[in-house]
Amino acid sequence: MDLDTLRRTLLQRLESDRRFGLTHLPKPQGAFDLSFLRDVGEGLESDEAGAAVSVAARNVAIAPQPVATPSSAGLFDLPAAVVPVGENIAPPNTERSEASRADRVSTLKVLSERVAGCVRCGELAATRTQTVFGVGNPEAAIFFLGEAPGADEDRIGEPFVGRAGQLLDKIIGACRLTRDDIYIGNILKCRPPGNRNPAPIEAANCREYLSAQIATVDPDYIVCWGRVAAENLLGTKEAIGKLRKRFFTYGRAKVAVTYHPSYLLRNPPAKKDVWDDMKWLFRDMGVDLDAGRKGEAGDRERG
Ligand code: URA
């Protein structure tokens, strides 16, 4: 494309965005122990062993950006580009991925760069400091799925780094894992202002990224932390209390649901329930968290 055509194309795109109600461009992305149970009266022996888990892989084709559709309203009411549900969404893996670690790293990088430039949700794009894509082991057997970044995550660019994240870290440690053993992501990659709940349209806009992220990591297990994660991944409106200790499926991955760490901060007695859920989950992996190490580290060898 010559310079003149490029210039015209860009101007047309900006004009079209303006007509659809785009009023802001996002801020540029920067370079880019059972002690948690203490207040419910239980203790956890720490153990350096990792818990047994497995991994998987598949190359994920990154779909093209969806075409923008007009928004009916103006400022901050512009999920300007609505992704039709089901379009560009990587289907859940039904077979174990064969993708190498390097391939996964590069797929996730491309995805995170796309997310960094995403302006599908006008309000979120205009108010975020940066997008929060996800962190962890690209070959993790366990994918922890949260809701959306909060203020600390928006500032730092990593999921679960605030108070809820510190509690999650303790839970991860109690399971004898580290953040590097698992993968952590959210339903939304941008902070909803005031930490409001994600709007359904925002979750739909972000679904393409989440689906590709899960398909790339290809975990054996997904843990939905809280109602928003469960509702959006599984399409259920049931209360967490009714979803606990039941395996759902997302492709070949087993999905477990438990309380969100933020809820635990408000309601410490529920930590006991979450610990029960972790023990139940890990038992399914062949790991008895009560009895100490029985398996290998989180990033298990492929094969
Ligand atoms: N709560 C979430 O659900 N995700 C985060 O990243 C932080 C807090």
Side-chain angles (χ1 to χ4, degrees):
M1 191 184 289
D2 61 49
L3 267 181
D4 202 37
T5 313
L6 179 64
R7 192 175 144 275
R8 259 186 295 117
T9 308
L10 282 173
L11 284 173
Q12 275 165 6
R13 174 64 200 260
L14 283 171
E15 177 54 22
S16 145
D17 284 347
R18 194 190 61 73
R19 270 189 283 113
F20 290 155
L22 186 72
T23 55
H24 299 74
L25 288 173
K27 288 182 192 171
Q29 179 92 36
F32 285 12
D33 65 286
L34 284 193
S35 66
F36 82 93
L37 278 172
R38 201 171 295 128
D39 40 1
V40 290
E42 238 184 80
L44 173 73
E45 293 303 313
S46 101
D47 186 323
E48 61 212 18
V53 279
S54 69
V55 291
R58 187 184 103 198
N59 269 319
V60 175
I62 296 181
Q65 287 276 31
V67 176
T69 54
S71 133
S72 55
L75 186 68
F76 284 169
D77 188 22
L78 42 93
V82 175
V83 186
V85 174
E87 199 158 298
N88 295 327
I89 308 250
N93 296 355
T94 51
E95 290 186 6
R96 183 164 290 220
S97 166
E98 294 300 328
S100 68
R101 188 178 186 99
D103 280 350
R104 294 173 196 226
V105 168
S106 95
T107 301
L108 292 170
K109 181 163 182 286
V110 171
L111 269 174
S112 76
E113 286 165 1
R114 182 166 296 169
V115 165
C118 182
V119 290
R120 290 175 187 176
C121 309
E123 181 184 13
L124 304 191
T127 55
R128 73 187 178 215
T129 304
Q130 58 192 317
T131 53
V132 179
F133 180 67
V135 285
N137 183 343
E139 300 178 300
I142 308 174
F143 193 119
F144 277 7
L145 182 61
E147 175 178 330
D152 294 309
E153 291 76 21
D154 174 73
R155 186 169 45 83
I156 291 169
E158 234 189 78
F160 283 106
V161 290
R163 279 185 70 223
Q166 284 158 21
L167 179 54
L168 187 68
D169 282 344
K170 290 184 181 169
I171 298 171
I172 293 169
C175 297
R176 301 176 202 128
L177 295 174
T178 70
R179 275 188 173 233
D180 292 337
D181 294 316
I182 62 175
Y183 194 89
I184 309 179
N186 282 312
I187 294 289
L188 289 194
K189 312 306 185 204
C190 294
R191 179 193 182 207
N195 297 344
R196 63 164 171 74
N197 282 342
I201 188 68
E202 293 165 346
N205 280 342
C206 229
R207 183 58 183 249
E208 176 190 341
Y209 305 133
L210 175 65
S211 304
Q213 198 172 25
I214 296 175
T216 304
V217 175
D218 189 28
D220 297 327
Y221 293 88
I222 299 172
V223 180
C224 292
W225 292 91
R227 185 189 59 77
V228 169
E231 190 172 315
N232 283 286
L233 189 76
L234 301 174
T236 176
K237 294 256 183 212
E238 272 199 284
I240 300 290
K242 294 225 153 69
L243 300 171
R244 294 178 52 227
K245 301 245 179 88
R246 287 162 67 184
F247 277 123
F248 299 85
T249 53
Y250 180 84
R252 68 172 206 86
K254 289 183 173 179
V255 182
V257 176
T258 192
Y259 296 113
H260 193 283
S262 298
Y263 173 73
L264 302 184
L265 290 172
R266 296 192 304 273
N267 185 16
K271 291 179 182 179
K272 173 82 175 55
D273 295 329
V274 167
W275 182 235
D276 280 345
D277 294 346
M278 292 299 113
K279 289 194 282 193
W280 167 81
L281 172 70
F282 277 70
R283 253 196 312 276
D284 195 70
M285 300 177 201
V287 177
D288 182 348
L289 288 176
D290 279 329
R293 176 185 173 155
K294 277 199 181 159
E296 289 304 314
D299 184 7
R300 199 202 290 168
E301 285 302 312
R302 287 180 179 285

